[in-house]
Amino acid sequence: MNQILVTEKSSNRTNKNTNKNKIEIAPIIRFFAVSIMMFGIVMLGQGSYAIYRNAEDRKPSNVPYVTIGRINDRAILYVEHNVEISKITYSWNNGEENVIPVGTTNTKEEILLSGYDSILNITIEDINGKQVTFKKQYYLNNEDITKPTIEIYAEDGNDKLIITAKDETEIKYVSYKWGDEETVVIPATEKGQKQIQKEITLTPGTKTIKVIAEDRNGNIEQKEKEVVISTSRPIMTIYKGNGEFTLNVVDKDGVKDIKINLNGQTFVKEDINLKEVTVGVLKLKEGNNTISIEVTNVSGYTQKVTTELQYTP
């Protein structure tokens, strides 16, 4: 009897403990269940965002507008975007990559062709890190894409300027134009001619010349250069006296400005407009004297010279 009572009490305690454990475990299960649900919602949200973002990136309005053309031996690339373009990376076939920094929403770039049939690979990246890739096949078929070369030579003190235009295949013409003056065209005179040379007589002054050369295959080169035209050079003579000196300058076009630096001290005489002028007297210090002279004539040509004078009292 006592044994049965004891057994029943133990059984009651066991049931109570089991119920208690069930009560304690229930909140834990609920916690993990809620956590799993929340995690699932978060993951679902991220997945939806990624799909939405990808869909937005693929909209035509978010893709750069790109045109790739060609002029002579260069690919012409024009890019326009609705956000700032960070950089453009390009390569020929699987060759070395070249990077062009941009920093604007539109740009025009020139890329030198490789010289043979090849594929131009272009990657455009905006400031958000989004990249878009384009490809362009160039078939040259042994076509001449090399532009002519232009040389403009003018020697100071000479009244002649020489233009030389050359092409490795055949030159068609060369033209030149001074500032707003009319264009002068010199055509080739023989079939297969590879060079045209023109000598031009100059008048004093500073002018800009624009030269254009075209070959028989339509490749065009142009060059612009500012030319200081002077028919003479200033002639400078220093006359040294007792602890002093004078400077005489002669120029057949005319002397405009003289600048003398004597031991770090500068002396300037401007708008002289004479064919011969003497400046000074300038005092020398005891010992070594460094003199730098800069003379500009009325044509804009500048002559510089540096010398040293010793003075012993």
Side-chain angles (χ1 to χ4, degrees):
M1 185 78 174
N2 290 335
Q3 188 177 0
I4 294 172
L5 289 173
V6 171
T7 301
E8 288 177 348
K9 288 179 180 177
S10 296
S11 178
N12 290 335
R13 273 199 309 271
T14 301
N15 290 335
K16 289 179 180 179
N17 289 335
T18 301
N19 292 333
K20 183 178 180 181
N21 290 338
K22 288 181 178 179
I23 294 170
E24 291 175 350
I25 291 171
I28 297 174
I29 294 173
R30 283 197 300 271
F31 170 76
F32 279 106
V34 172
S35 298
I36 291 170
M37 289 175 63
M38 292 299 293
F39 180 73
I41 292 171
V42 170
M43 291 300 293
L44 180 61
Q46 288 181 342
S48 300
Y49 173 72
I51 294 170
Y52 172 78
R53 183 182 178 186
N54 189 46
E56 284 294 302
D57 285 349
R58 291 179 180 273
K59 286 184 177 180
S61 59
N62 291 334
V63 176
Y65 171 76
V66 178
T67 58
I68 308 173
R70 175 189 161 193
I71 297 178
N72 297 330
D73 61 346
R74 297 178 186 274
I76 307 300
L77 172 67
Y78 178 76
V79 184
E80 187 174 343
H81 203 4
N82 59 356
V83 297
E84 184 178 309
I85 303 163
S86 174
K87 62 182 178 180
I88 296 173
T89 304
Y90 73 91
S91 64
W92 289 103
N93 296 331
N94 297 317
E96 181 182 355
E97 290 188 340
N98 300 275
V99 178
I100 304 173
V102 182
T104 59
T105 57
N106 61 80
T107 183
K108 180 182 177 182
E109 306 293 341
E110 295 186 5
I111 301 172
L112 188 66
L113 296 180
S114 62
Y116 50 87
D117 294 352
S118 51
I119 297 174
L120 176 61
N121 304 297
I122 297 173
T123 300
I124 300 166
E125 182 175 328
D126 63 27
I127 57 172
N128 299 317
K130 186 178 70 175
Q131 295 182 342
V132 182
T133 301
F134 297 86
K135 292 180 182 292
K136 172 76 172 181
Q137 173 75 60
Y138 281 91
Y139 294 104
L140 301 183
N141 299 319
N142 297 320
E143 180 184 348
D144 174 23
I145 63 170
T146 304
K147 296 186 292 185
T149 61
I150 297 172
E151 181 182 344
I152 303 171
Y153 177 75
E155 183 181 359
D156 293 323
N158 195 330
D159 63 350
K160 303 293 183 183
L161 178 141
I162 299 174
I163 298 172
T164 305
K166 297 179 182 179
D167 188 73
E168 87 292 353
T169 305
E170 184 178 356
I171 194 75
K172 183 179 180 182
Y173 73 86
V174 64
S175 69
Y176 68 91
K177 179 181 180 182
W178 290 105
D180 296 328
E181 297 178 11
E182 290 187 5
T183 300
V184 178
V185 180
I186 304 103
T189 56
E190 300 176 5
K191 186 176 181 180
Q193 185 174 336
K194 295 184 178 182
Q195 176 177 311
I196 297 175
Q197 190 170 81
K198 175 66 176 177
E199 183 178 271
I200 304 169
T201 301
L202 304 174
T203 56
T206 300
K207 298 180 181 179
T208 299
I209 188 170
K210 182 177 181 181
V211 181
I212 298 175
E214 182 178 348
D215 68 14
R216 285 294 176 186
N217 293 308
N219 298 305
I220 296 174
E221 175 67 306
Q222 60 181 11
K223 199 170 189 179
E224 194 168 302
K225 183 178 181 179
E226 184 178 75
V227 181
V228 178
I229 304 165
S230 177
T231 59
S232 68
R233 296 183 181 183
I235 300 172
M236 293 173 273
T237 307
I238 293 177
Y239 296 97
K240 180 183 175 184
N242 185 22
E244 59 189 24
F245 76 93
T246 58
L247 172 68
N248 179 262
V249 182
V250 177
D251 188 289
K252 69 178 184 179
D253 287 343
V255 179
K256 184 175 184 293
D257 303 323
I258 297 175
K259 182 187 292 184
I260 302 173
N261 186 304
L262 174 60
N263 301 320
Q265 187 175 2
T266 301
F267 303 89
V268 179
K269 191 173 182 64
E270 297 179 322
D271 297 322
I272 301 168
N273 300 325
L274 296 173
K275 293 186 177 181
E276 182 174 359
V277 62
T278 298
V279 294
V281 177
L282 298 177
K283 299 292 183 180
L284 299 171
K285 70 176 184 179
E286 183 178 352
N288 186 57
N289 294 263
T290 301
I291 305 170
S292 296
I293 303 169
E294 181 178 304
V295 177
T296 301
N297 69 11
V298 294
S299 301
Y301 173 71
T302 299
Q303 179 101 347
K304 298 179 181 179
V305 66
T306 299
T307 188
E308 293 182 348
L309 290 180
Q310 293 287 335
Y311 169 57
T312 304

